[in-house]
Amino acid sequence: MFGPFRASSPAMSGLLWKIPWRMSAPQKYRQRRRLRAVDNVIDTVEKGLEMKGLTCHMLERLRREVPREEDMDPKDKYTTFSRKERFYRKGLHKMAKWTRRTIRVNPKGF
């Protein structure tokens, strides 16, 4: 059928860009790599300040409160807390700009 009511993928089935319900193995690999890169930056800044004999309260706070990538559970690496979801967890890949954020701390018990 031609014209404004022709059959097309968006018209027949809805949204074309569907987000899969779980992260793929390459997505998980890249997420772990991003978490490790943040850990390396924190370590490098800490070493540089230590060589100069200085300290930074924010870095000390990060060390105390934020876990490193190898210390995190897989549940925390790949999901985040969401009070609107059924089991209060949402896949990290479903968040806006999830590749630019370091989301490591979730509420306890979820």
Side-chain angles (χ1 to χ4, degrees), residues 49-67:
L49 287 173
E50 191 177 292
M51 287 172 56
K52 299 260 185 184
L54 302 172
T55 60
C56 178
H57 295 290
M58 188 62 190
L59 283 177
E60 292 171 4
R61 185 171 158 233
L62 277 173
R63 281 284 157 234
R64 275 195 320 268
E65 297 175 4
V66 178

Side-chain angles (χ1 to χ4, degrees), residues 28-40 63 66-74 76-78 102 104:
K28 288 181 179 182
Y29 170 74
R30 288 190 299 269
Q31 174 64 11
R32 288 191 306 271
R33 201 171 63 189
R34 278 190 291 272
L35 289 171
R36 280 189 222 122
V38 171
D39 290 339
N40 288 339
R63 281 284 157 234
V66 178
R68 294 182 64 84
E69 184 267 334
E70 58 264 11
D71 299 332
M72 293 174 71
D73 291 334
D76 291 334
K77 286 183 198 179
Y78 311 123
T102 304
R104 297 184 188 220

